Amino acid sequence: LNLSVVIIKLFFLKKNKIKLLLHFHNVLNVNKFNFKERFINYILFLLLKLNNFRNIKLVTVSNGIKNDLCKSFNINEKHVEVIYPSIDFNQIAKYEKYNKKSLNISNKYILNIGRLEKQKNHALLIKAFYKIRNLTDLSLVIIGDGKLKNKLVKLINDLDLNNRVKIFSNIQNPYPYYYNSDLFVLSSLWEGFGLVLIEALACKLKIVATDCPCSPKELLHNFEGTSLSKNNDAEDLAKKIIEMLKKNIQFDFKRKYLENNFSVSAHVNSYYQLINSFKEIEK
């Protein structure tokens, strides 16, 4: 889509009336064997440079993506703005007192939410949970759907974890599950932003996340009750989960910090300022 609108803009180059915001929500060219993606991105940034970024701004959802983009495609960072996605904190807070019995979960649990795809690396999480199955009485609840569901169900069966690991698909409202869990774990190989981490923070949850590109370290560095494990390392992930479960900490809910950075109003204001900045470009 980004490439398409840039090509369209070329037809209006003389009038120069079209202003573009091009969005990047994930790390580019993660799969080095995806030649189609790599070719499209090469052409896209070639056209941007030929156009000298005239009335064009790039928007990324994390500083990690911005840094990777600037480095990989030799882009001056002045052309790139970071605007975090947003959540509605007031809407989420409505579910804090939600009745756990209606969730059909009888015991305490560790929570993960994400598409059942390679990027989210659920197999790693299941293997890490297998390593600690005798060290905790908690279950593991995974909320999501995707093309790897059957493979993950088979892995759960092979490890004889049927009674301890549950995959719930078609969950319309995940917030009651956040509030009633004991720990949130993100096991991704990479994350453009990782909105689930902000949702977990909003629900006052302790968090363990893999230290993957690009956002977990960026989002969690300001919070106690969070921990990073080595990326794609089941042994270290298992260790960090047990350590976090044992910690008896008073969660520091930095509501003002969260709202200043991730609220809907902050999100809209960032776009308002960015769109107004085009006036400077015209000058």
Side-chain angles (χ1 to χ4, degrees):
L1 182 58
N2 282 339
L3 178 59
S4 299
V5 294
V6 169
I7 292 175
I8 292 172
K9 177 176 167 55
L10 293 178
F11 290 97
F12 297 87
L13 189 59
K14 291 183 179 180
K15 294 183 179 181
N16 195 30
K17 291 183 177 181
I18 292 182
K19 303 174 180 64
L20 295 182
L21 299 180
L22 303 182
H23 289 77
F24 299 88
H25 292 261
N26 223 324
V27 187
L28 298 182
N29 298 346
V30 172
N31 183 357
K32 63 182 179 180
F33 298 109
N34 190 334
F35 299 107
K36 178 182 177 181
E37 178 187 353
R38 296 175 71 86
F39 177 74
I40 289 175
N41 287 331
Y42 172 79
I43 297 298
L44 170 63
F45 286 99
L46 178 62
L47 292 177
L48 291 176
K49 291 178 181 179
L50 290 175
N51 193 45
N52 199 28
F53 289 90
R54 186 184 299 272
N55 275 355
I56 296 176
K57 281 284 188 178
L58 312 184
V59 179
T60 68
V61 295
S62 70
N63 285 292
I65 296 179
K66 175 181 178 178
N67 295 337
D68 180 76
L69 188 151
C70 292
K71 180 179 178 181
S72 299
F73 297 94
N74 193 26
I75 303 296
N76 192 314
E77 64 177 22
K78 71 179 182 180
H79 300 304
V80 187
E81 297 289 334
V82 177
I83 299 180
Y84 287 143
S86 63
I87 60 175
D88 189 333
F89 291 94
N90 292 327
Q91 183 66 25
I92 292 175
K94 294 179 181 179
Y95 298 98
E96 185 169 5
K97 305 299 181 182
Y98 195 88
N99 189 347
K100 183 178 179 180
K101 293 181 180 179
S102 62
L103 301 181
N104 296 319
I105 303 175
S106 58
N107 55 329
K108 296 181 177 181
Y109 58 91
I110 298 167
L111 179 65
N112 172 281
I113 299 177
R115 303 183 312 278
L116 306 183
E117 298 178 3
K118 177 182 177 181
Q119 176 186 351
K120 305 302 180 179
N121 208 8
H122 289 99
L124 176 81
L125 176 58
I126 294 169
K127 292 173 183 177
F129 183 80
Y130 177 79
K131 294 178 180 294
I132 64 171
R133 68 193 186 284
N134 296 323
L135 302 178
T136 177
D137 59 353
L138 271 65
S139 297
L140 172 61
V141 171
I142 299 172
I143 295 178
D145 203 355
K147 60 185 178 182
L148 294 182
K149 183 174 182 178
N150 291 336
K151 288 185 177 181
L152 294 173
V153 170
K154 183 179 185 303
L155 177 61
I156 293 169
N157 292 333
D158 291 344
L159 296 177
D160 195 24
L161 293 173
N162 307 68
N163 295 325
R164 300 285 300 278
V165 180
K166 303 295 181 183
I167 297 179
F168 295 153
S169 301
N170 302 317
I171 300 297
Q172 300 300 317
N173 180 11
Y175 299 122
Y177 291 87
Y178 278 111
Y179 275 118
N180 286 286
S181 62
D182 286 66
L183 175 68
F184 186 85
V185 178
L186 182 136
S187 53
S188 299
L189 288 168
W190 71 90
E191 278 290 343
F193 180 76
L195 190 64
V196 290
L197 295 177
I198 303 304
E199 292 177 332
L201 290 172
C203 295
K204 306 175 185 179
L205 265 176
K206 294 189 293 185
I207 298 172
V208 174
T210 50
D211 189 10
C212 66
C214 281
S215 62
K217 181 183 293 184
E218 177 179 336
L219 298 179
L220 300 179
H221 77 280
N222 202 33
F223 290 87
E224 296 181 9
T226 66
S227 178
L228 295 174
S229 72
K230 297 176 183 177
N231 195 15
N232 201 26
D233 188 323
E235 193 72 41
D236 193 55
L237 181 60
K239 176 183 176 183
K240 293 299 194 304
I241 290 174
I242 289 298
E243 289 176 351
M244 188 58 70
L245 288 174
K246 290 181 178 179
K247 286 185 178 180
N248 184 19
I249 61 173
Q250 185 70 32
F251 188 85
D252 183 14
F253 181 50
K254 300 180 179 180
R255 177 65 177 262
K256 185 175 182 180
Y257 171 83
L258 288 170
E259 290 187 343
N260 286 343
N261 287 276
F262 309 108
S263 67
V264 175
S265 60
H267 183 77
V268 172
N269 186 56
S270 294
Y271 274 102
Y272 179 78
Q273 293 182 22
L274 179 57
I275 291 170
N276 280 340
S277 72
F278 278 113
K279 297 177 181 179
E280 297 298 324
I281 297 175
E282 291 171 348
K283 295 177 183 179

